mmCIF file of all heavy atoms in Angstrom:
data_model
loop_
_atom_site.group_PDB
_atom_site.id
_atom_site.type_symbol
_atom_site.label_atom_id
_atom_site.label_comp_id
_atom_site.label_asym_id
_atom_site.label_seq_id
_atom_site.Cartn_x
_atom_site.Cartn_y
_atom_site.Cartn_z
ATOM 1 N N THR A 371 -3.666 -6.481 14.818
ATOM 2 C CA THR A 371 -2.736 -5.422 15.222
ATOM 3 C C THR A 371 -2.832 -4.290 14.205
ATOM 4 O O THR A 371 -2.755 -4.531 13.000
ATOM 5 C CB THR A 371 -1.297 -5.962 15.277
ATOM 6 O OG1 THR A 371 -1.220 -7.001 16.253
ATOM 7 C CG2 THR A 371 -0.319 -4.852 15.647
ATOM 8 N N ILE A 372 -2.988 -3.064 14.679
ATOM 9 C CA ILE A 372 -3.202 -1.919 13.788
ATOM 10 C C ILE A 372 -1.956 -1.038 13.784
ATOM 11 O O ILE A 372 -1.494 -0.594 14.845
ATOM 12 C CB ILE A 372 -4.407 -1.060 14.220
ATOM 13 C CG1 ILE A 372 -5.599 -1.952 14.605
ATOM 14 C CG2 ILE A 372 -4.774 -0.076 13.112
ATOM 15 C CD1 ILE A 372 -6.148 -2.795 13.497
ATOM 16 N N PHE A 373 -1.436 -0.774 12.586
ATOM 17 C CA PHE A 373 -0.263 0.079 12.401
ATOM 18 C C PHE A 373 -0.694 1.280 11.567
ATOM 19 O O PHE A 373 -1.205 1.127 10.462
ATOM 20 C CB PHE A 373 0.848 -0.700 11.684
ATOM 21 C CG PHE A 373 2.178 0.021 11.610
ATOM 22 C CD1 PHE A 373 3.132 -0.155 12.589
ATOM 23 C CD2 PHE A 373 2.470 0.869 10.543
ATOM 24 C CE1 PHE A 373 4.360 0.489 12.533
ATOM 25 C CE2 PHE A 373 3.692 1.526 10.467
ATOM 26 C CZ PHE A 373 4.639 1.337 11.471
ATOM 27 N N GLY A 374 -0.520 2.469 12.107
ATOM 28 C CA GLY A 374 -0.972 3.673 11.417
ATOM 29 C C GLY A 374 0.154 4.401 10.717
ATOM 30 O O GLY A 374 1.282 4.463 11.225
ATOM 31 N N VAL A 375 -0.148 4.935 9.549
ATOM 32 C CA VAL A 375 0.773 5.816 8.835
ATOM 33 C C VAL A 375 0.015 7.107 8.578
ATOM 34 O O VAL A 375 -0.913 7.137 7.767
ATOM 35 C CB VAL A 375 1.259 5.195 7.509
ATOM 36 C CG1 VAL A 375 2.144 6.186 6.748
ATOM 37 C CG2 VAL A 375 2.018 3.901 7.767
ATOM 38 N N CYS A 376 0.362 8.167 9.299
ATOM 39 C CA CYS A 376 -0.346 9.439 9.124
ATOM 40 C C CYS A 376 0.614 10.604 9.343
ATOM 41 O O CYS A 376 1.763 10.416 9.741
ATOM 42 C CB CYS A 376 -1.571 9.528 10.024
ATOM 43 S SG CYS A 376 -1.220 9.547 11.779
ATOM 44 N N ASN A 377 0.124 11.785 9.081
ATOM 45 C CA ASN A 377 0.972 12.974 9.031
ATOM 46 C C ASN A 377 0.765 13.914 10.209
ATOM 47 O O ASN A 377 1.581 14.799 10.424
ATOM 48 C CB ASN A 377 0.718 13.735 7.713
ATOM 49 C CG ASN A 377 1.723 14.836 7.458
ATOM 50 O OD1 ASN A 377 2.900 14.693 7.757
ATOM 51 N ND2 ASN A 377 1.260 15.951 6.919
ATOM 52 N N VAL A 378 -0.317 13.722 10.962
ATOM 53 C CA VAL A 378 -0.688 14.715 11.967
ATOM 54 C C VAL A 378 -0.537 14.133 13.366
ATOM 55 O O VAL A 378 -1.236 13.190 13.743
ATOM 56 C CB VAL A 378 -2.131 15.211 11.742
ATOM 57 C CG1 VAL A 378 -2.497 16.252 12.792
ATOM 58 C CG2 VAL A 378 -2.283 15.792 10.333
ATOM 59 N N VAL A 379 0.389 14.705 14.119
ATOM 60 C CA VAL A 379 0.619 14.280 15.497
ATOM 61 C C VAL A 379 -0.638 14.554 16.328
ATOM 62 O O VAL A 379 -1.253 15.607 16.215
ATOM 63 C CB VAL A 379 1.829 15.036 16.093
ATOM 64 C CG1 VAL A 379 2.012 14.685 17.568
ATOM 65 C CG2 VAL A 379 3.093 14.703 15.311
ATOM 66 N N GLY A 380 -1.020 13.563 17.131
ATOM 67 C CA GLY A 380 -2.184 13.722 17.991
ATOM 68 C C GLY A 380 -3.503 13.476 17.305
ATOM 69 O O GLY A 380 -4.563 13.642 17.915
ATOM 70 N N SER A 381 -3.493 13.074 16.034
ATOM 71 C CA SER A 381 -4.731 12.840 15.290
ATOM 72 C C SER A 381 -5.440 11.590 15.811
ATOM 73 O O SER A 381 -4.872 10.773 16.541
ATOM 74 C CB SER A 381 -4.442 12.699 13.798
ATOM 75 O OG SER A 381 -3.561 11.610 13.565
ATOM 76 N N SER A 382 -6.689 11.421 15.404
ATOM 77 C CA SER A 382 -7.497 10.303 15.901
ATOM 78 C C SER A 382 -6.901 8.959 15.517
ATOM 79 O O SER A 382 -6.891 8.013 16.323
ATOM 80 C CB SER A 382 -8.924 10.424 15.364
ATOM 81 O OG SER A 382 -9.541 11.597 15.842
#
Side-chain angles (χ1 to χ4, degrees):
T371 298
I372 316 297
F373 188 92
V375 176
C376 65
N377 190 37
V378 180
V379 175
S381 60
S382 297

